[in-house]
Amino acid sequence: MAPTEYSLRLQKGITGGFAPPTPNAIITLTRPLNQNTLNITSAVREIGTKGLAAAVPKSIPHPEELADELHSILKDLPTEQPPGSQDIYGLDTSIAWGSDDLMWYNGGPQGCGGGVSFVQVSDEQKAKFKRAVEIVEQLVGEAQ
């Protein structure tokens, strides 16, 4: 069961090298304490533009089943070690989840800049992470 309060940040564009990565999208989901709504903000960089478009917050009724699925997926997935060393899921995407019972993030605070993680993931774990990304994208679609 997803907590009564949580926040999530998804960033597409986390791999870099010498220079930090340039994000293509930043999505935030926030469930305020004991509220039955989910606040969603999505900022996307259109192809050929230099920055992310302005994000307009929207709210939808809290999606219990999808939130529960997302929470349970992230609870079971490992992250790269050391943080930021490698995009172990191979999607150039990071998720950061924060709640009372779970603090989880992949991609490191500055993205993935090279190196090799000593934690590697299975194809099944990659599929689960991909499903987590799909859930977030589905929720963004419902807010538009």
Side-chain angles (χ1 to χ4, degrees):
M1 177 180 222
T4 57
E5 179 181 34
Y6 63 86
S7 67
L8 175 142
R9 181 181 189 270
L10 181 144
Q11 178 175 319
K12 291 187 177 189
I14 65 165
T15 54
F18 181 72
T22 301
N24 297 318
I26 296 177
I27 298 165
T28 59
L29 308 178
T30 306
R31 181 181 189 186
L33 182 62
N34 298 322
Q35 303 241 349
N36 288 326
T37 58
L38 185 64
N39 301 324
I40 300 173
T41 305
S42 176
V44 177
R45 182 169 56 91
E46 300 298 328
I47 295 172
T49 62
K50 292 183 180 182
L52 297 170
V56 177
K58 298 182 180 179
S59 294
I60 62 171
H62 187 258
E64 292 295 333
E65 287 182 22
L66 288 174
D68 289 348
E69 182 182 358
L70 181 58
H71 181 251
S72 68
I73 288 171
L74 295 177
K75 281 177 81 167
D76 290 338
L77 290 178
T79 60
E80 77 280 352
Q81 296 299 323
S85 59
Q86 180 183 6
D87 178 14
I88 60 175
Y89 293 103
L91 295 179
D92 197 22
T93 301
S94 70
I95 294 177
W97 171 285
S99 62
D100 283 345
D101 69 330
L102 178 64
M103 297 298 283
W104 189 98
Y105 74 92
N106 70 306
Q110 299 297 318
C112 292
V116 177
S117 170
F118 64 79
V119 173
Q120 296 295 314
V121 293
S122 67
D123 289 342
E124 179 183 343
Q125 290 169 318
K126 287 180 181 182
K128 286 182 178 182
F129 184 78
K130 184 177 181 183
R131 174 63 184 145
V133 172
E134 290 169 353
I135 291 170
V136 174
E137 291 171 342
Q138 180 179 343
L139 294 172
V140 169
E142 289 179 17
Q144 296 186 0

